[in-house]
Amino acid sequence: MRKLMMIVVALMMATISANAQQAGDFSVGANASYSFKTKSFAPGIRVQFNILRMLRAEIGGDLWTKKDNWQAYDAFFNLHLLIHVSEKFKIYPLAGVGYINTKEDGKDYNDEVYNVHVNVPEKSRDNAFGNAGLGLQLNFTPHFGAFAEGKYQFKDNDQFCASFGLVYIF
């Protein structure tokens, strides 16, 4: 029994060592995101670091374009569990947390029914959110690839977002 445990521990160490030797890939990327709830677009950037062969950390942010007097920016941290389908293609479930600041412009108008001038002040809100989703990555070369993600953001205004982009792998 003791020998069996030693063999299992040795195999686990070998597996961890093999994964750690392929860790350390670092990449930067640019993306375009779309929110299906607000129907707005966002250019964004992201930085990714492979902690292990199958685990990647990502930090990034988006600047949501102005639509109907509303705009926002967000920052997020995600973890990806990489499933290597082939040498060039990966599928990854993702989960993470983030921060979003939304800003709604004030309005200035005349109410003709009551014949008064109305001034609605600007509103700004800060929210934390969690997200979960699924992504795909296709590497065209060892240093260049494309990705697509879909993620659901859990916050007071739940929404689904899709992102597409390019990454450069160092």
Side-chain angles (χ1 to χ4, degrees):
M1 185 68 171
R2 190 178 248 198
K3 287 182 183 180
L4 178 62
M5 289 299 286
M6 291 300 282
I7 291 170
V8 169
V9 169
L11 287 173
M12 287 173 53
M13 294 297 284
T15 303
I16 292 169
S17 298
N19 282 341
Q21 288 171 0
Q22 295 184 17
D25 281 349
F26 172 75
S27 61
V28 294
N31 61 278
S33 298
Y34 180 76
S35 166
F36 289 89
K37 184 168 189 166
T38 62
K39 298 190 178 8
S40 59
F41 288 93
I45 58 170
R46 56 186 64 207
V47 176
Q48 300 170 332
F49 181 76
N50 283 22
I51 299 168
L52 299 171
R53 181 176 185 269
M54 294 182 64
L55 184 64
R56 176 169 63 197
E58 172 185 67
I59 188 166
D62 298 306
L63 179 60
W64 295 92
T65 57
K66 193 169 190 174
K67 178 156 175 87
D68 298 330
N69 295 324
W70 176 94
Q71 76 181 75
Y73 63 87
D74 67 21
F76 53 85
F77 173 78
N78 292 326
L79 288 175
H80 301 169
L81 181 62
L82 301 172
I83 301 165
H84 297 267
V85 177
S86 70
E87 188 177 314
K88 294 184 176 196
F89 184 67
K90 300 173 185 119
I91 297 174
Y92 54 92
L94 66 91
V97 295
Y99 161 83
I100 187 166
N101 174 275
T102 58
K103 181 179 151 191
E104 195 171 336
D105 291 343
K107 297 176 185 171
D108 217 14
Y109 63 94
N110 290 318
D111 186 335
E112 294 178 13
V113 174
Y114 296 104
N115 197 23
V116 294
H117 181 76
V118 179
N119 182 0
V120 179
E122 180 180 283
K123 289 192 295 187
S124 181
R125 292 181 11 165
D126 297 315
N127 283 311
F129 64 87
N131 62 52
L134 186 67
L136 310 168
Q137 182 173 330
L138 176 63
N139 293 340
F140 304 120
T141 71
H143 296 288
F144 185 69
F147 67 89
E149 289 179 353
K151 59 186 171 185
Y152 191 79
Q153 293 181 333
F154 304 95
K155 56 182 175 128
D156 60 348
N157 289 356
D158 294 354
Q159 69 176 356
F160 181 78
C161 297
S163 298
F164 305 93
L166 301 171
V167 291
Y168 182 80
I169 305 159
F170 293 93

